[in-house]
Amino acid sequence: MTKQLSKRFKLMGTVIDLSITATNPYDVMKQSEKLLKEYEQRFNAHSSTSELTAINTNAGHQPQQVHPDLFELIRIGKTHSLAKDSGLNIALGGVIRLWRIGFHDAKKPSPDAIKKALTLTNPYQIRLDETKKTVFLAQKGMVLDFGALAKGYSADKLKAFYQKNEVTSAVINLGGNVLLYGDNPNSADGYWCVGIRNPYHKKGVDSVVLRLKNQSVVTSGTYERQSMIDGKRYHHLIDRQTGHPLKTDVVSLTIVSKSSLDGEIWTSRLYGKTPKEILAIVDALEEMEVLILTTNKELYLSRSLKKKLIYQHPELKQKNS
């Protein structure tokens, strides 16, 4: 007989909510926490003892042998960082550290500091040895950062664990990164209702609600992490070309996909483009859907996602894509 179990805890610098239905939910929940702690230890750029920090510390000195999971994530991240017109760059860590947006010591770096940091952000300089599973950052001072990918990868790994351990359904919510697995046991048709946060209001208000099953929902937004510096508000999404926060009318970008990592990759790759450019790219991708909110409260939806929309906040103006 299956039982439902939910738990909330803090990890990965965010609040995590797990809800599972399984024959042995207590054992599965315990193991889930253990796995997420392992992933945090592996991928965290802010921990002095993580495997990722060891790679960054040895930049320009020597290759580091890493866990296959970390190697895989770096390989995927490098591929998407090298893609044409990609907004994602996993080698942008040095620039991100200069700004420290969202932390108490956030500051606006000098133009010279940004210029220097940008010379250490070339993804080609990430040298991977597939046989030895080693990673070498060829330039001293290079810094990898997986803030854009680690949660998605972790959610997918957790889902794979559930598939092998008789979990019939689950909601994995890693701080706004939501992965739905199996049928909703509390709904007659098995679908889940997922609200997308309204960026124009305080927390607790939805901009839209989507009806989904066996999909991941990843949202990135300029409202998520901000800092006031010298009386001006700055968001945490850094333009890989300029080293400054992105100039964009897109306030929130949501990718709905099978894999949570895909959602993380594409929200990062696409941020900085116009809504029409984003829609054209996503409509050409398989099993990928997008929802965009702009500063003037316009809502853009990819074609297939329109059928899954069950609520839209009255202040939003839906635009024809």
Side-chain angles (χ1 to χ4, degrees):
M1 190 178 141
T2 59
K3 287 182 187 170
Q4 286 178 250
L5 180 65
S6 298
K7 191 168 184 185
R8 169 174 281 197
F9 51 95
K10 278 194 162 183
L11 206 62
M12 297 178 161
T14 189
V15 176
I16 287 173
D17 285 295
L18 298 181
S19 181
I20 54 175
T21 305
T23 47
N24 55 340
Y26 296 98
D27 292 343
V28 169
M29 189 65 81
K30 196 175 171 184
Q31 191 62 24
S32 299
E33 274 193 80
K34 187 173 173 241
L35 284 169
L36 288 174
K37 279 176 185 165
E38 275 178 33
Y39 302 146
E40 180 178 51
Q41 177 56 24
R42 201 157 285 146
F43 307 134
N44 189 349
H46 303 290
S47 161
S48 59
T49 57
S50 75
E51 287 183 49
L52 179 55
T53 297
I55 294 170
N56 291 334
T57 306
N58 283 285
H61 296 297
Q62 60 186 20
Q64 280 292 110
Q65 191 168 32
V66 298
H67 189 282
D69 285 355
L70 181 54
F71 187 88
E72 181 187 30
L73 186 55
I74 292 172
R75 183 178 52 74
I76 293 166
K78 178 181 175 179
T79 300
H80 287 277
S81 299
L82 289 170
K84 194 181 174 212
D85 295 331
S86 174
L88 171 68
N89 184 2
I90 61 169
L92 207 60
V95 180
I96 292 164
R97 284 187 181 184
L98 281 179
W99 285 88
R100 304 265 310 155
I101 303 287
F103 294 94
H104 69 280
D105 55 350
K107 64 182 187 297
K108 186 179 180 180
S110 71
D112 283 350
I114 291 172
K115 196 175 173 184
K116 187 182 174 188
L118 282 173
T119 64
L120 300 171
T121 61
N122 185 350
Y124 278 110
Q125 299 297 334
I126 305 166
R127 308 280 165 83
L128 304 176
D129 187 318
E130 194 78 45
T131 312
K132 295 178 183 170
K133 293 285 182 283
T134 60
V135 181
F136 178 53
L137 306 183
Q139 288 176 286
K140 194 177 176 183
M142 273 189 87
V143 179
L144 297 186
D145 188 290
F146 284 114
L149 303 181
K151 286 197 291 184
Y153 187 83
S154 302
D156 288 339
K157 295 292 283 187
L158 207 52
K159 175 185 159 184
F161 166 71
Y162 290 165
Q163 286 170 320
K164 290 177 187 167
N165 285 274
E166 296 175 19
V167 175
T168 54
S169 73
V171 177
I172 303 165
N173 185 347
L174 307 185
N177 175 323
V178 178
L179 183 60
L180 308 167
Y181 167 60
D183 284 6
N184 182 351
N186 306 314
S187 152
D189 60 6
Y191 277 82
W192 312 80
C193 293
V194 180
I196 308 296
R197 189 185 150 188
N198 192 319
Y200 320 108
H201 294 269
K202 287 181 180 173
K203 278 187 180 178
V205 179
D206 289 330
S207 55
V208 301
V209 177
L210 301 169
R211 185 172 166 274
L212 305 168
K213 192 196 284 192
N214 284 316
Q215 284 185 294
S216 156
V217 185
V218 174
T219 300
S220 188
T222 53
Y223 61 90
E224 283 176 333
R225 213 163 73 222
Q226 299 183 337
S227 289
M228 285 292 284
I229 304 169
D230 301 329
K232 191 178 173 188
R233 194 174 293 281
Y234 294 88
H235 64 77
H236 74 295
L237 301 174
I238 302 292
D239 186 325
R240 63 180 289 179
Q241 306 298 335
T242 66
H244 286 79
L246 279 167
K247 288 179 178 171
T248 176
D249 291 331
V250 174
V251 73
S252 171
L253 174 59
T254 300
I255 292 283
V256 178
S257 54
K258 282 278 183 204
S259 143
S260 194
L261 179 58
D262 281 345
E264 297 274 23
I265 285 166
W266 285 97
T267 51
S268 300
R269 277 190 64 163
L270 297 169
Y271 230 114
K273 300 187 189 313
T274 67
K276 289 211 159 85
E277 286 170 334
I278 293 168
L279 286 163
I281 292 166
V282 171
D283 277 334
L285 295 168
E286 281 185 32
E287 296 188 324
M288 194 91 65
E289 298 162 313
V290 68
L291 182 153
I292 305 159
L293 295 168
T294 68
T295 44
N296 20 333
K297 300 183 180 175
E298 294 170 334
L299 167 66
Y300 292 83
L301 294 159
S302 53
R303 284 190 293 268
S304 51
L305 203 56
K306 286 179 182 176
K307 301 168 194 161
K308 299 172 183 179
L309 182 73
I310 55 173
Y311 167 79
Q312 173 183 324
H313 195 283
E315 72 184 349
L316 295 177
K317 306 181 283 283
Q318 194 175 140
K319 303 293 284 185
N320 290 326
S321 52

